[in-house]
Amino acid sequence: IRDILIISTPQDLPLFNQLLGDGSKIGLNINYAEQPSPDGLAQAFIIGKKFIGNDNVAMILGDNFFYGQNFTKKLLDCSKLNKGAKILLHNVQKPELYGVAKINSKKKITHIIEKPKKFISNYAITGLYFFDNKVIEYASKLKPSKRGEVEIIDLLNKYKRNNKLSADFIGRGGAWLDTGSIEDFYKTTAFVQAIENRQGLK
């Protein structure tokens, strides 16, 4: 994937642009779009409608960090998705902090819930998603939730109801870290430092 749309606030976009430019120096084609207010993750597909065009699309959240030995192969497999949607799941200790998916014995998603108060599963939905082109249509028909956002969970449930939602797993050898708080950011930095110092590789 080399065509990338960065969606952020009007205040932050100029900083990303200053840092990355059009992406040509690193072999990418980078575009930029504003999300003036935090109206939900699924709004990205409405904002990015023209950019996506007739293509399928992947979305990654800016505060997510992924690492793993076989992760590149897994992503290449996910990028071949033609129909439906695919999410990446990771086992976590505190599922109540995340959107969670319940899986049956055939690894089929049976239930999705945002920050469950009662335990249903240890599988957190990570901030990396793959969608077919219908995502634009589905996102545009979503109604804002009680908190006034177009929710990614509602979008995923739309695919689930159509029996078009599948899952893959990061697995034991991989790591998924959230850098959304200063504490989590430092934990991720320490993880990267440990790996680099041990291996001598970036």
Side-chain angles (χ1 to χ4, degrees), residues 114-177:
E114 179 71 28
K115 296 181 180 177
K117 292 180 180 178
K118 292 183 179 180
F119 178 84
I120 66 162
S121 164
N122 279 327
Y123 286 118
I125 301 169
T126 69
L128 180 55
Y129 315 83
F130 293 81
F131 293 98
D132 64 14
N133 195 256
K134 281 190 174 292
V135 71
I136 299 171
E137 174 192 338
Y138 291 163
S140 65
K141 291 179 179 178
L142 290 178
K143 294 179 180 178
S145 65
K146 290 179 181 178
R147 60 179 187 168
E149 295 188 13
V150 187
E151 304 283 357
I152 192 74
I153 291 288
D154 292 341
L155 185 59
L156 295 175
N157 272 318
K158 173 70 174 175
Y159 276 95
K160 187 174 100 44
R161 284 193 296 273
N162 293 339
N163 206 25
K164 298 285 186 182
L165 180 64
S166 59
D168 206 338
F169 303 86
I170 293 177
R172 289 187 171 214
W176 167 58
L177 302 167

Coordinates of all heavy atoms in Angstrom, one line a residue, residues 114-177:
E114 N -18.2 -2.8 22.3 CA -17.3 -1.8 22.7 C -17.1 -1.7 24.2 O -18.1 -1.5 24.9 CB -17.7 -0.4 22.2 CG -16.8 0.8 22.5 CD -15.5 0.8 21.8 OE1 -15.4 0.2 20.7 OE2 -14.5 1.3 22.3
K115 N -15.9 -1.9 24.7 CA -15.6 -1.8 26.2 C -16.7 -2.5 27.0 O -17.4 -1.9 27.8 CB -15.5 -0.3 26.6 CG -14.4 0.4 25.9 CD -14.2 1.8 26.3 CE -13.0 2.5 25.6 NZ -12.9 3.9 25.9
P116 N -16.7 -3.8 26.9 CA -17.8 -4.6 27.6 C -17.6 -4.5 29.1 O -16.5 -4.7 29.7 CB -17.5 -6.0 27.1 CG -16.1 -6.1 26.7 CD -15.8 -4.7 26.2
K117 N -18.8 -4.4 29.8 CA -18.7 -4.4 31.3 C -18.7 -5.8 31.8 O -18.1 -6.0 32.9 CB -20.0 -3.6 31.8 CG -20.0 -2.1 31.5 CD -21.2 -1.4 32.0 CE -21.2 0.1 31.6 NZ -22.4 0.8 32.1
K118 N -19.2 -6.7 31.1 CA -19.1 -8.1 31.5 C -18.2 -8.8 30.5 O -18.2 -8.5 29.3 CB -20.5 -8.8 31.4 CG -21.5 -8.3 32.5 CD -22.8 -9.1 32.4 CE -23.8 -8.6 33.5 NZ -25.1 -9.3 33.4
F119 N -17.4 -9.8 31.0 CA -16.4 -10.5 30.2 C -17.1 -11.3 29.1 O -18.1 -12.1 29.3 CB -15.6 -11.4 31.0 CG -14.6 -12.2 30.2 CD1 -13.4 -11.7 29.9 CD2 -14.9 -13.5 29.8 CE1 -12.4 -12.4 29.2 CE2 -14.0 -14.2 29.0 CZ -12.8 -13.7 28.7
I120 N -16.7 -11.1 27.8 CA -17.1 -12.0 26.7 C -16.0 -12.6 26.0 O -16.1 -13.7 25.4 CB -18.0 -11.2 25.7 CG1 -17.2 -10.1 24.9 CG2 -19.2 -10.6 26.4 CD1 -17.9 -9.7 23.7
S121 N -14.8 -12.0 26.0 CA -13.6 -12.5 25.3 C -12.4 -11.7 25.7 O -12.5 -10.6 26.2 CB -13.9 -12.3 23.8 OG -12.7 -12.5 23.0
N122 N -11.2 -12.3 25.4 CA -9.9 -11.6 25.6 C -9.4 -11.0 24.3 O -8.3 -10.4 24.3 CB -8.9 -12.6 26.1 CG -9.0 -12.8 27.6 OD1 -9.4 -11.9 28.4 ND2 -8.7 -14.0 28.1
Y123 N -10.2 -11.2 23.2 CA -9.7 -10.7 21.9 C -10.1 -9.2 21.7 O -11.2 -8.9 21.4 CB -10.2 -11.6 20.8 CG -9.6 -12.9 20.7 CD1 -10.3 -14.1 20.9 CD2 -8.2 -13.0 20.5 CE1 -9.7 -15.3 20.8 CE2 -7.6 -14.3 20.4 CZ -8.3 -15.4 20.6 OH -7.7 -16.6 20.5
A124 N -9.1 -8.4 21.8 CA -9.3 -6.9 21.5 C -9.2 -6.7 20.0 O -8.4 -7.3 19.3 CB -8.3 -6.1 22.2
I125 N -10.1 -5.8 19.5 CA -10.0 -5.4 18.1 C -8.9 -4.3 18.0 O -9.1 -3.2 18.6 CB -11.4 -4.8 17.7 CG1 -12.4 -5.9 17.8 CG2 -11.3 -4.3 16.2 CD1 -13.9 -5.4 17.6
T126 N -7.9 -4.5 17.3 CA -6.8 -3.6 17.2 C -7.2 -2.5 16.2 O -8.2 -2.6 15.5 CB -5.5 -4.3 16.7 OG1 -5.7 -4.7 15.3 CG2 -5.2 -5.5 17.5
G127 N -6.3 -1.5 16.1 CA -6.6 -0.3 15.3 C -6.2 -0.5 13.8 O -5.6 0.5 13.3
L128 N -6.4 -1.6 13.3 CA -6.0 -1.9 11.9 C -7.1 -2.7 11.2 O -7.4 -3.8 11.6 CB -4.7 -2.6 11.8 CG -4.1 -3.0 10.5 CD1 -3.9 -1.8 9.6 CD2 -2.7 -3.7 10.6
Y129 N -7.7 -2.1 10.1 CA -8.9 -2.7 9.5 C -8.7 -2.7 8.0 O -8.1 -1.9 7.4 CB -10.1 -1.8 9.8 CG -10.2 -1.4 11.2 CD1 -9.6 -0.3 11.7 CD2 -11.1 -2.1 12.1 CE1 -9.7 0.2 13.0 CE2 -11.3 -1.6 13.4 CZ -10.6 -0.5 13.9 OH -10.7 -0.1 15.2
F130 N -9.3 -3.8 7.4 CA -9.3 -3.9 5.9 C -10.8 -4.0 5.4 O -11.5 -4.8 6.0 CB -8.5 -5.1 5.5 CG -7.1 -5.0 5.7 CD1 -6.5 -5.3 7.0 CD2 -6.2 -4.6 4.7 CE1 -5.2 -5.2 7.2 CE2 -4.8 -4.5 5.0 CZ -4.3 -4.8 6.2
F131 N -11.1 -3.2 4.4 CA -12.5 -3.1 3.9 C -12.6 -3.2 2.4 O -11.7 -2.7 1.7 CB -13.2 -1.8 4.4 CG -13.3 -1.7 5.9 CD1 -12.4 -0.9 6.6 CD2 -14.4 -2.2 6.5 CE1 -12.6 -0.8 8.0 CE2 -14.6 -2.1 7.9 CZ -13.7 -1.3 8.6
D132 N -13.7 -3.7 1.9 CA -13.9 -3.6 0.5 C -14.6 -2.2 0.3 O -14.8 -1.4 1.2 CB -14.8 -4.8 0.0 CG -16.2 -4.7 0.6 OD1 -16.6 -3.7 1.2 OD2 -16.9 -5.8 0.5
N133 N -14.9 -1.9 -1.0 CA -15.3 -0.6 -1.4 C -16.7 -0.2 -0.8 O -17.1 0.9 -0.8 CB -15.3 -0.4 -2.9 CG -15.4 1.0 -3.3 OD1 -16.4 1.5 -3.8 ND2 -14.3 1.8 -3.1
K134 N -17.5 -1.2 -0.4 CA -18.8 -1.0 0.2 C -18.7 -0.2 1.5 O -19.7 0.4 1.9 CB -19.5 -2.3 0.4 CG -20.2 -2.8 -0.9 CD -21.1 -4.0 -0.5 CE -21.8 -4.5 -1.8 NZ -22.8 -3.5 -2.3
V135 N -17.5 -0.1 2.0 CA -17.4 0.7 3.3 C -17.8 2.1 3.2 O -18.4 2.7 4.1 CB -15.9 0.6 3.8 CG1 -15.0 1.4 2.9 CG2 -15.8 1.0 5.3
I136 N -17.7 2.7 2.0 CA -18.1 4.1 1.8 C -19.6 4.2 1.9 O -20.1 5.1 2.6 CB -17.6 4.6 0.4 CG1 -16.1 4.6 0.3 CG2 -18.1 6.0 0.2 CD1 -15.6 4.8 -1.1
E137 N -20.3 3.3 1.3 CA -21.8 3.3 1.3 C -22.2 3.0 2.7 O -23.1 3.7 3.2 CB -22.3 2.2 0.4 CG -23.8 2.0 0.4 CD -24.2 0.7 -0.3 OE1 -23.4 0.3 -1.2 OE2 -25.3 0.2 0.0
Y138 N -21.7 2.0 3.4 CA -22.1 1.7 4.7 C -21.9 2.8 5.7 O -22.7 3.1 6.6 CB -21.4 0.4 5.2 CG -21.7 -0.9 4.5 CD1 -20.9 -2.0 4.6 CD2 -22.9 -1.0 3.7 CE1 -21.3 -3.2 3.9 CE2 -23.2 -2.1 3.0 CZ -22.4 -3.2 3.2 OH -22.7 -4.4 2.5
A139 N -20.7 3.4 5.6 CA -20.3 4.5 6.6 C -21.3 5.7 6.4 O -21.7 6.3 7.4 CB -18.9 4.9 6.4
S140 N -21.6 6.0 5.2 CA -22.5 7.2 4.9 C -23.9 7.0 5.4 O -24.6 8.0 5.6 CB -22.5 7.5 3.4 OG -23.1 6.4 2.7
K141 N -24.3 5.7 5.7 CA -25.6 5.5 6.2 C -25.7 5.3 7.7 O -26.8 5.2 8.2 CB -26.2 4.2 5.5 CG -26.5 4.4 4.0 CD -27.0 3.1 3.4 CE -27.3 3.3 1.9 NZ -27.8 2.1 1.2
L142 N -24.6 5.3 8.3 CA -24.5 5.2 9.8 C -25.1 6.4 10.5 O -24.8 7.5 10.0 CB -23.1 4.9 10.3 CG -22.5 3.6 10.0 CD1 -21.1 3.5 10.5 CD2 -23.3 2.4 10.5
K143 N -25.8 6.2 11.6 CA -26.3 7.3 12.4 C -25.3 7.5 13.6 O -24.9 6.5 14.2 CB -27.7 7.0 12.9 CG -28.7 7.0 11.7 CD -30.1 6.7 12.2 CE -31.1 6.7 11.0 NZ -32.5 6.4 11.5
P144 N -25.1 8.7 14.0 CA -24.2 8.9 15.2 C -24.7 8.2 16.4 O -25.9 8.1 16.6 CB -24.2 10.5 15.3 CG -24.6 11.0 14.0 CD -25.5 10.0 13.4
S145 N -23.8 7.8 17.2 CA -24.2 7.1 18.5 C -24.6 8.1 19.5 O -24.6 9.3 19.3 CB -23.0 6.3 19.0 OG -21.9 7.2 19.3
K146 N -24.9 7.6 20.8 CA -25.2 8.5 21.9 C -24.2 9.6 22.2 O -24.5 10.6 22.7 CB -25.6 7.7 23.1 CG -26.9 6.9 23.0 CD -27.1 6.1 24.3 CE -28.4 5.3 24.1 NZ -28.6 4.4 25.3
R147 N -22.9 9.2 21.9 CA -21.8 10.1 22.2 C -21.5 11.0 21.0 O -20.5 11.7 20.9 CB -20.6 9.4 22.7 CG -20.0 8.4 21.7 CD -18.7 7.8 22.3 NE -18.0 6.9 21.4 CZ -16.8 6.5 21.6 NH1 -16.1 6.8 22.6 NH2 -16.2 5.7 20.7
G148 N -22.4 10.9 19.9 CA -22.3 11.8 18.8 C -21.3 11.5 17.8 O -20.9 12.3 16.9
E149 N -20.8 10.2 17.8 CA -19.8 9.8 16.8 C -20.3 8.7 15.9 O -21.2 7.9 16.2 CB -18.6 9.2 17.6 CG -17.9 10.3 18.4 CD -16.6 9.8 19.0 OE1 -16.1 8.7 18.6 OE2 -16.0 10.5 19.9
V150 N -19.8 8.7 14.7 CA -20.0 7.6 13.7 C -19.1 6.4 14.1 O -17.9 6.5 13.8 CB -19.8 8.0 12.3 CG1 -20.3 6.9 11.3 CG2 -20.6 9.3 12.0
E151 N -19.6 5.4 14.7 CA -18.8 4.4 15.4 C -18.3 3.3 14.5 O -19.0 2.8 13.6 CB -19.6 3.7 16.5 CG -20.2 4.7 17.5 CD -19.2 5.2 18.5 OE1 -18.0 4.8 18.5 OE2 -19.5 6.0 19.4
I152 N -17.0 3.0 14.7 CA -16.4 1.9 13.9 C -17.1 0.5 14.2 O -17.2 -0.3 13.4 CB -14.9 1.8 14.1 CG1 -14.2 0.9 13.1 CG2 -14.5 1.4 15.5 CD1 -14.1 1.5 11.7
I153 N -17.5 0.4 15.5 CA -18.2 -0.9 15.9 C -19.5 -1.1 15.1 O -19.8 -2.2 14.7 CB -18.4 -0.9 17.4 CG1 -17.1 -1.0 18.2 CG2 -19.4 -2.0 17.8 CD1 -16.4 -2.3 18.1
D154 N -20.2 0.0 14.9 CA -21.5 -0.1 14.1 C -21.2 -0.5 12.7 O -21.9 -1.2 12.1 CB -22.2 1.3 14.2 CG -22.7 1.6 15.5 OD1 -22.9 0.7 16.4 OD2 -23.0 2.8 15.8
L155 N -20.1 0.0 12.2 CA -19.7 -0.3 10.8 C -19.3 -1.8 10.7 O -19.7 -2.5 9.8 CB -18.5 0.6 10.4 CG -18.0 0.4 8.9 CD1 -19.1 0.8 7.9 CD2 -16.8 1.4 8.7
L156 N -18.5 -2.3 11.7 CA -18.1 -3.7 11.7 C -19.4 -4.6 11.8 O -19.4 -5.7 11.2 CB -17.1 -3.9 12.8 CG -15.8 -3.2 12.7 CD1 -14.9 -3.5 13.9 CD2 -15.0 -3.7 11.4
N157 N -20.3 -4.2 12.7 CA -21.5 -5.0 12.9 C -22.4 -5.0 11.6 O -23.0 -6.0 11.4 CB -22.3 -4.4 14.0 CG -21.9 -5.0 15.4 OD1 -21.7 -6.2 15.5 ND2 -21.8 -4.2 16.4
K158 N -22.3 -4.0 10.8 CA -23.0 -4.0 9.5 C -22.4 -5.1 8.6 O -23.2 -5.9 8.0 CB -22.9 -2.7 8.8 CG -23.4 -2.6 7.4 CD -24.9 -2.7 7.3 CE -25.4 -2.5 5.9 NZ -26.8 -2.7 5.8
Y159 N -21.1 -5.2 8.6 CA -20.5 -6.3 7.8 C -20.8 -7.7 8.4 O -21.0 -8.6 7.7 CB -19.0 -6.1 7.8 CG -18.5 -5.2 6.7 CD1 -18.3 -3.8 6.9 CD2 -18.3 -5.7 5.4 CE1 -17.9 -3.0 5.9 CE2 -17.8 -4.8 4.4 CZ -17.6 -3.5 4.6 OH -17.2 -2.6 3.6
K160 N -20.8 -7.7 9.8 CA -21.1 -9.0 10.5 C -22.5 -9.5 10.1 O -22.7 -10.7 9.9 CB -20.9 -8.8 12.0 CG -21.0 -10.1 12.7 CD -20.7 -9.9 14.2 CE -21.9 -9.8 15.1 NZ -23.0 -10.7 14.9
R161 N -23.5 -8.6 10.1 CA -24.9 -8.9 9.8 C -25.0 -9.5 8.4 O -25.8 -10.3 8.1 CB -25.8 -7.7 10.0 CG -26.1 -7.4 11.5 CD -27.2 -6.4 11.6 NE -27.0 -5.1 11.0 CZ -26.4 -4.1 11.6 NH1 -26.0 -4.3 12.9 NH2 -26.2 -3.0 11.0
N162 N -24.1 -9.0 7.5 CA -24.1 -9.5 6.1 C -23.2 -10.7 5.9 O -23.0 -11.1 4.8 CB -23.7 -8.4 5.2 CG -24.7 -7.2 5.1 OD1 -25.9 -7.4 5.4 ND2 -24.2 -6.1 4.7
N163 N -22.7 -11.2 7.1 CA -21.8 -12.4 7.0 C -20.6 -12.1 6.2 O -20.1 -13.0 5.5 CB -22.6 -13.6 6.5 CG -22.0 -14.9 7.0 OD1 -21.4 -14.9 8.1 ND2 -22.2 -16.0 6.3
K164 N -20.0 -10.9 6.3 CA -18.9 -10.5 5.5 C -17.7 -10.0 6.4 O -16.8 -9.4 5.9 CB -19.3 -9.4 4.6 CG -20.4 -9.7 3.5 CD -19.8 -10.6 2.4 CE -20.9 -10.8 1.3 NZ -20.4 -11.7 0.3
L165 N -17.8 -10.3 7.7 CA -16.7 -9.9 8.5 C -15.8 -11.1 9.0 O -16.4 -12.1 9.5 CB -17.3 -9.2 9.8 CG -16.3 -8.7 10.8 CD1 -15.4 -7.6 10.2 CD2 -17.0 -8.2 12.1
S166 N -14.5 -11.0 8.8 CA -13.6 -12.1 9.2 C -12.5 -11.5 10.1 O -12.4 -10.3 10.2 CB -13.0 -12.8 8.0 OG -12.3 -11.8 7.2
A167 N -11.8 -12.4 10.7 CA -10.7 -11.9 11.7 C -9.4 -12.7 11.4 O -9.4 -13.8 10.9 CB -11.2 -12.2 13.1
D168 N -8.4 -12.0 11.7 CA -7.0 -12.6 11.7 C -6.4 -12.3 13.1 O -6.9 -11.4 13.8 CB -6.2 -12.2 10.6 CG -5.1 -13.2 10.2 OD1 -4.8 -14.0 11.0 OD2 -4.6 -13.1 9.1
F169 N -5.4 -13.0 13.5 CA -4.8 -12.9 14.8 C -3.3 -12.5 14.7 O -2.6 -13.1 13.9 CB -5.0 -14.2 15.6 CG -6.4 -14.6 15.7 CD1 -7.0 -15.4 14.7 CD2 -7.2 -14.3 16.7 CE1 -8.3 -15.8 14.7 CE2 -8.5 -14.7 16.8 CZ -9.1 -15.4 15.8
I170 N -2.9 -11.5 15.6 CA -1.5 -11.1 15.6 C -0.7 -12.2 16.1 O 0.4 -12.5 15.7 CB -1.4 -9.8 16.4 CG1 -2.1 -8.7 15.7 CG2 0.1 -9.5 16.6 CD1 -2.0 -7.4 16.4
G171 N -1.2 -13.0 17.1 CA -0.5 -14.2 17.6 C 0.5 -13.9 18.7 O 0.9 -12.7 18.9
R172 N 1.1 -14.9 19.2 CA 2.0 -14.8 20.4 C 3.3 -14.1 20.0 O 3.8 -13.4 20.9 CB 2.3 -16.2 20.9 CG 1.1 -16.9 21.6 CD 1.6 -18.2 22.3 NE 0.5 -18.7 23.1 CZ 0.7 -19.3 24.2 NH1 1.9 -19.5 24.7 NH2 -0.3 -19.8 24.9
G173 N 3.8 -14.3 18.8 CA 5.0 -13.7 18.5 C 5.0 -12.2 18.1 O 6.0 -11.5 17.9
G174 N 3.7 -11.6 18.1 CA 3.6 -10.2 17.7 C 3.2 -9.4 18.9 O 2.9 -9.8 20.0
A175 N 3.3 -8.1 18.7 CA 3.0 -7.1 19.7 C 2.1 -6.0 19.2 O 2.3 -5.6 18.0 CB 4.2 -6.5 20.3
W176 N 1.1 -5.7 19.9 CA 0.2 -4.5 19.6 C 0.2 -3.6 20.8 O -0.2 -4.0 21.9 CB -1.2 -5.0 19.2 CG -2.2 -3.9 19.2 CD1 -2.2 -2.8 18.4 CD2 -3.4 -3.8 20.0 NE1 -3.3 -2.0 18.6 CE2 -4.0 -2.6 19.6 CE3 -4.0 -4.5 21.0 CZ2 -5.2 -2.1 20.1 CZ3 -5.2 -4.1 21.5 CH2 -5.8 -2.9 21.1
L177 N 0.6 -2.4 20.6 CA 0.6 -1.4 21.7 C -0.1 -0.1 21.3 O -0.1 0.3 20.1 CB 2.1 -1.1 22.0 CG 3.0 -2.3 22.4 CD1 4.5 -1.9 22.4 CD2 2.6 -2.8 23.8

